[in-house]
Structures are given as C-alpha cells and as structure tokens.
Amino acid sequence: MGFCPEEVAGSIGGGLGDEGRAGPSGGRGVLHGAFAVLEELARVEEAGLTQLAVATGLPKATAHRLLCRLTDLGVVHREDGGRYRIGTRMFRWGQRWSPAQVLSTAAVRPLRRLAAAGCSVTIAVRDGDDVIVVAGIGDPAVDEVFRMRPGIVLPAASAAEVVLAVGNPASGLRPDPGWSLPPGHSRAEWARRVGDARDRRVAFDFEAALPPLGCVAAPVRAPTGAVVAAAAVVVVGTNRLPLLADAVRETAACISANLARVPGAGRALNLLATPESPPRDR
C-alpha cells in the first residue's frame, strides 16, 4: 500500500487543528513539519521530543502532535523511554528507491572484495546539494569515528563529492554545471580538484577527526559515460590511501561494467545523471 503526498498530509494533519486544516497552505505546512522531524531523526538516529522541537524550530506541542501521528502511521517508532526513531514503514519505502537498488546489485561483489582489505567501502550518490551513502560495508575501526550507514550525508567537499562533480567527460576542467560549489571552495579551487580527479580517475580526502580518517573515491559511470555514483574506501589514517587507489579505480570500473547488465538500470540511473536542485550561491 502506498500514499501520495496529499494522502500523507491528510493523515498527518488529522487532529492538528488549524495547522492540519485542509488546503494548500495548511497541508503544505504540516507536511513540511513532518519531513523536518523525519530529516532530523535520519540525521541523529534517535532523539527526544525537546531535542526534535529545538532542531526543527517547531513548537513543542506541534512536534508532539506530529510525532504521535507519525508513530500511528508506522513512519516513526517510539521507544519505551520516550525517544523516537525512524519506523519500519520509512525503511520499507527507502528500500524501493530504484537507483539504490540498481547500484547495490551492481556493487555487492566488488565491494566485498575491496572490504577484504580492512576498510569501510561505500557507494555514494548526489542528492541535491548533498552526497549520501546508498550502500556499503563498514569497518569497526572507521565506524567508531564515522559510521558509513546508508542514508548518511557525507561531509561537504569529500572525495566522493569531487568525483561526482566530474560529470560528463566532455565538460572539460569545469565542474559539472549542475553541481554547485561546496562551502569554503572558490570556483578555481573546486575546478582544480575536479580536474585532478578527472585526470587521475580518483580523488583523495582527509578528515581531521580523532582518530583522523582518510578517503579515496573513484567515479562510477552509467553506460552513457555519465558519472552517477562514487565508490570509496575510508580508513583510519592516510598511509594506506596511495596503495588503495588502484583497487578503488578497479572496483569503480567493475561496478560500472556491471551496471550495463542490471535490468532497468538505464531509467534508474537517469535520475542520478540529472541535476535536481538549483546551485548554491557562487
């Protein structure tokens, strides 16, 4: 059973008084509030009512009513201690996102081989101005610092974001015109990083966490040649990155070849090859 946005808004809005009143403004306000709550739960994994109200900017009473309706619908799960998590219905819906299904099918065996080197391995895609993980295999040492679970948003200007900006091979050294500049990067600096990734077919990144994390990513291409995803490894420290670069390139190339053999891949991958949001301020 599925819901269109209007049905979801109506279900959530029931019993919310003026905020749940039928009509474009009321329905849209309730729906936006509900998705703000869900986005925050996806970010932090679990939270209490006060934390969610503060993070979303919603009045506490409104957040509570939304959470009650979302819990009734199975979209949110309420723990015995009063904290909230994403519910099973959201999990089921997420599993049906066709680009993730296609990429996971093409990547499962190559990622397993790469993970045997003792690192976290991921497949990441562009989602508006964000880069999100859609599949992967974690390494305990890395997970203690940053858990690469599906749905997590990667830090801005990550190695995955660099290779995703490579775009079409015909675009020269300029960033993909549908891809905006990440915070803290000038146009020239970003073009240099993207150009280097295009030339080397790989990008490197270093996160000054405790302990520090190193990442190397390579572009995954659709049969059309467009970059649709990034295959990446994340390790503690940076000493191993140069040694892993060739393995990541080979893994990305293997996934790219596998995509041509996955039924329905073409249509699903088109969703990733087309920019979905306006660029950030440049």
Side-chain angles (χ1 to χ4, degrees):
M1 180 178 180
F3 294 89
C4 70
E6 290 79 7
E7 290 172 329
V8 175
S11 297
I12 295 172
L16 289 182
D18 291 342
E19 292 163 297
R21 184 181 300 159
S25 60
R28 184 164 57 247
V30 170
L31 194 57
H32 284 182
F35 271 89
V37 169
L38 293 172
E39 284 281 4
E40 181 62 14
L41 283 176
R43 186 182 72 85
V44 300
E45 296 194 18
E46 69 169 51
L49 171 61
T50 300
Q51 180 182 346
L52 289 169
V54 171
T56 60
L58 293 170
K60 192 170 181 179
T62 300
H64 181 258
R65 289 194 292 269
L66 284 171
L67 285 164
C68 287
R69 294 299 296 127
L70 290 168
T71 300
D72 290 344
L73 291 167
V75 177
V76 166
H77 174 71
R78 186 178 186 273
E79 304 281 355
D80 291 339
R83 296 178 68 78
Y84 297 89
R85 291 179 174 269
I86 293 294
T88 55
R89 177 168 286 185
M90 284 296 292
F91 173 76
R92 293 201 308 273
W93 289 346
Q95 298 304 301
R96 300 306 300 168
W97 191 52
S98 56
Q101 289 181 307
V102 166
L103 287 166
S104 295
T105 299
V108 59
R109 290 185 178 179
L111 289 187
R112 284 176 182 169
R113 289 195 295 268
L114 189 57
C119 52
S120 282
V121 295
T122 64
I123 297 294
V125 301
R126 180 170 66 186
D127 177 29
D129 279 335
D130 294 327
V131 174
I132 63 171
V133 173
V134 297
I137 301 172
D139 175 71
V142 174
D143 286 349
E144 289 181 0
V145 185
F146 191 89
R147 186 182 173 197
M148 300 290 177
R149 58 182 174 81
I152 198 74
V153 177
L154 296 179
S158 65
E161 182 169 0
V162 174
V163 298
L164 284 167
V166 167
N168 191 300
S171 62
L173 293 181
R174 294 175 293 110
D176 183 331
W179 187 255
S180 53
L181 297 174
H185 280 66
S186 66
R187 180 185 294 272
E189 182 182 8
W190 188 238
R192 178 187 59 76
R193 290 192 69 189
V194 173
D196 287 346
R198 181 178 289 110
D199 293 341
R200 299 178 180 178
R201 295 183 296 119
V202 73
F204 295 91
D205 186 32
F206 177 76
E207 292 291 332
L210 289 176
L213 297 178
C215 177
V216 56
V220 173
R221 296 183 180 273
T224 61
V227 174
V228 292
V233 298
V234 182
V235 295
V236 176
T238 59
N239 294 337
R240 299 173 57 200
L241 292 185
L243 300 176
L244 289 168
D246 285 342
V248 175
R249 290 189 193 95
E250 292 172 5
T251 297
C254 184
I255 296 170
S256 299
N258 287 347
L259 287 173
R261 299 190 288 271
V262 177
R267 176 174 295 184
L269 296 176
N270 283 340
L271 298 174
L272 300 176
T274 302
E276 296 183 353
S277 69
R280 300 183 183 103
D281 293 337
R282 300 188 180 185

